[in-house]
Amino acid sequence: FFVVVMYSLLVFTVPAQELPPIEIFTTSDYQAENQNWDISQAENKYIYIANNQGLLEFNGAKWKLYSSPNETILRSVYVKNDLIYTGCYMEFGYWKHNQYDELIYTSLSNEIKHELIEDEQFWNILSLDNWILFQSLDRIYIYNTIDASFNIIESETIIRKMYLVNDIVYFQKEEDGIYKIDNG
């Protein structure tokens, strides 16, 4: 009897582990395509999603869809301060809210002196200090936010992924290895 009472006390006094609330959104909720490629959150807690149909903005209550600048699949999104950087087919740049709280797009890829590679898509965006890095499968475009200049890292093999670890940018070149960007 004593063992049963002790067991009962232990069972009822052990705190339950609470799970965070999970909410599932369907395409009918956000009124866009079913494939989402990337996600980023702003300081104001808004969520931005790179979707097949464009840029999705979620404020916690309402969804809003912005068509991609050239009406192609949006592949990447990254929020820094009040700018939402995106990449898609043959285009990358940023979005900023205007006085009516609408997002307005500004192209950065149009400012590059080099032409984009045919069929280039931008799969990843990172930020380090005053630079924003846009990664395609063939190049990494490094945008200096202070003077609006660009540096470009070219690759003869496919760049699969780019990572930021302890303030160092690493990128993987297919069948070649892992590289790091050191002092630009």
Side-chain angles (χ1 to χ4, degrees):
F1 175 76
F2 178 71
V3 172
V4 172
V5 170
M6 289 300 290
Y7 176 74
S8 297
L9 288 174
L10 284 174
V11 169
F12 294 112
T13 60
V14 174
Q17 182 178 5
E18 290 188 37
L19 296 174
I22 296 173
E23 192 166 346
I24 297 171
F25 297 102
T26 65
T27 55
S28 61
D29 293 323
Y30 56 80
Q31 296 293 303
E33 298 273 332
N34 66 351
Q35 195 161 15
N36 298 305
W37 294 93
D38 202 5
I39 186 168
S40 189
Q41 186 172 17
E43 290 175 12
N44 65 0
K45 305 298 183 206
Y46 279 33
I47 301 288
Y48 294 92
I49 299 170
N51 178 275
N52 274 8
Q53 202 168 335
L55 177 65
L56 282 168
E57 177 183 60
F58 183 60
N59 68 6
K62 262 182 12 184
W63 291 94
K64 194 164 201 177
L65 176 65
Y66 294 89
S67 294
S68 68
N70 56 8
E71 298 184 5
T72 62
I73 295 171
L74 215 61
R75 300 287 187 188
S76 54
V77 61
Y78 182 84
V79 179
K80 182 167 184 181
N81 302 325
D82 62 341
L83 300 179
I84 301 103
Y85 293 93
T86 59
C88 57
Y89 174 82
M90 300 295 290
E91 178 68 41
F92 63 85
Y94 64 86
W95 304 76
K96 185 174 182 171
H97 285 99
N98 66 11
Q99 68 270 23
Y100 306 108
D101 207 28
E102 294 284 320
L103 286 175
I104 304 299
Y105 183 76
T106 300
S107 176
L108 291 174
S109 53
N110 288 341
E111 303 302 316
I112 300 172
K113 292 178 176 58
H114 294 79
E115 284 191 30
L116 298 179
I117 297 170
E118 185 176 341
D119 294 331
E120 195 166 14
Q121 296 192 54
F122 296 90
W123 294 93
N124 199 3
I125 304 168
L126 294 177
S127 169
L128 178 63
D129 298 328
N130 297 315
W131 295 282
I132 305 293
L133 293 83
F134 298 88
Q135 178 236 319
S136 73
L137 297 178
D138 302 297
R139 294 176 174 166
I140 297 173
Y141 296 82
I142 304 171
Y143 173 65
N144 184 326
T145 59
I146 294 173
D147 65 9
S149 64
F150 280 95
N151 286 326
I152 300 173
I153 296 174
E154 305 252 1
S155 179
E156 293 179 15
T157 61
I158 293 173
I159 301 172
R160 285 286 169 205
K161 195 70 176 156
M162 179 175 63
Y163 303 93
L164 181 63
V165 179
N166 297 328
D167 290 335
I168 299 173
V169 176
Y170 294 90
F171 59 97
Q172 175 195 0
K173 291 173 64 173
E174 189 174 88
E175 298 179 17
D176 196 14
I178 296 183
Y179 290 75
K180 73 177 181 175
I181 301 174
D182 213 2
N183 294 324

